[in-house]
């Protein structure tokens, strides 16, 4: 149930983001909403690795369809991000605004590097947005990360999953 509700929220956020960016016409400040949600799910320590991978695959495919990028690009990148997040979650707990912003920033930077690696191997998979917009997008994602984490914690609490201890570095 958690993943279905999160998928619905991400779908609504991505559609709202697309509409707002179309009206405002500022592609420069498009945050990585999908990356922030996948990072939250991976770092929350709830669920299994296959469940996280399937959730990331569904979100990635949705991003591929809505963005017009080659099918499977974001799906691959978000699954890899979810698995990397699971590895990081074994050693790191996220707690507080700054740590959540850094986690979202790290997830967005990691996905940008993965997209760059795929674009290096397959030039037709290069993103439509220029790489010069990357710093602004990373900052926008870092600012959107803490509200996404708060929304995820609130959703988990409503589903009776309890409070999530989320980043103290050990």
């Amino acid at each position: 149930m958690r993943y279905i509700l999160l998928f619905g929220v991400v779908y609504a956020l991505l559609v709202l983001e697309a509409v707002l960016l179309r009206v405002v016409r500022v592609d420069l400040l498009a945050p990585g909403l999908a990356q922030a949600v996948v990072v939250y799910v991976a770092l929350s320590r709830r669920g299994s690795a296959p469940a996280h991978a399937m959730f990331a695959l569904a979100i990635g495919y949705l991003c591929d369809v809505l963005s017009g990028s080659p099918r499977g690009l974001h799906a691959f990148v978000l699954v890899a991000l979810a698995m990397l997040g699971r590895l990081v979650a074994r050693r790191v707990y996220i707690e507080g605004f700054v740590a959540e912003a850094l986690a979202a920033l790290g997830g967005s930077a990691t996905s940008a590097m993965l997209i760059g690696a795929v674009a290096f191997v397959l030039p037709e998979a290069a993103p439509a947005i220029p790489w010069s917009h990357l710093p602004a997008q990373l900052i926008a994602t870092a600012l959107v990360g803490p509200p996404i984490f708060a929304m995820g914690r609130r959703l988990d609490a409503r589903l009776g999953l309890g409070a999530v201890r989320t980043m103290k570095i050990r």
Side-chain angles (χ1 to χ4, degrees):
M1 186 66 168
R2 174 185 188 222
Y3 297 110
I4 293 170
L5 289 175
L6 279 172
F7 183 83
V9 168
V10 171
Y11 179 73
L13 286 174
L14 288 175
V15 169
L16 180 65
E17 176 190 36
V19 169
L20 287 176
L21 291 177
R22 186 76 145 177
V23 170
V24 179
R25 295 183 185 193
V26 181
D27 290 336
L28 180 66
L29 295 175
L33 296 172
Q35 289 91 346
V37 172
V38 168
V39 167
Y40 169 75
V41 168
L43 294 178
S44 70
R45 298 175 156 220
R46 290 209 172 87
S48 63
H52 289 179
M54 290 305 296
F55 175 73
L57 181 71
I59 294 298
Y61 189 74
L62 177 66
C63 288
D64 288 332
V65 169
L66 291 178
S67 70
S69 64
R71 298 285 191 273
L73 176 66
H74 286 99
F76 166 74
V77 167
L78 290 182
V79 168
L81 184 63
M83 294 302 100
L84 287 171
R86 291 272 303 180
L87 289 174
V88 170
R90 301 173 106 194
R91 302 297 293 165
V92 176
Y93 291 101
I94 307 278
E95 190 172 281
F97 183 87
V98 173
E100 291 170 353
L102 288 175
L105 176 90
S108 187
T110 302
S111 67
M113 286 189 292
L114 289 170
I115 288 173
V118 170
F120 182 74
V121 175
L122 301 169
E124 63 272 5
I129 297 174
W131 290 104
S132 60
H133 292 178
L134 184 61
Q137 288 180 335
L138 291 177
I139 292 169
T141 304
L143 293 175
V144 167
I148 294 284
F149 276 58
M151 180 240 7
R153 281 193 306 274
R154 193 169 299 122
L155 181 69
D156 286 344
R158 288 227 180 228
L159 291 173
L161 299 174
V164 177
R165 293 218 67 188
T166 64
M167 181 164 191
K168 287 188 181 174
I169 298 176
R170 298 191 243 169

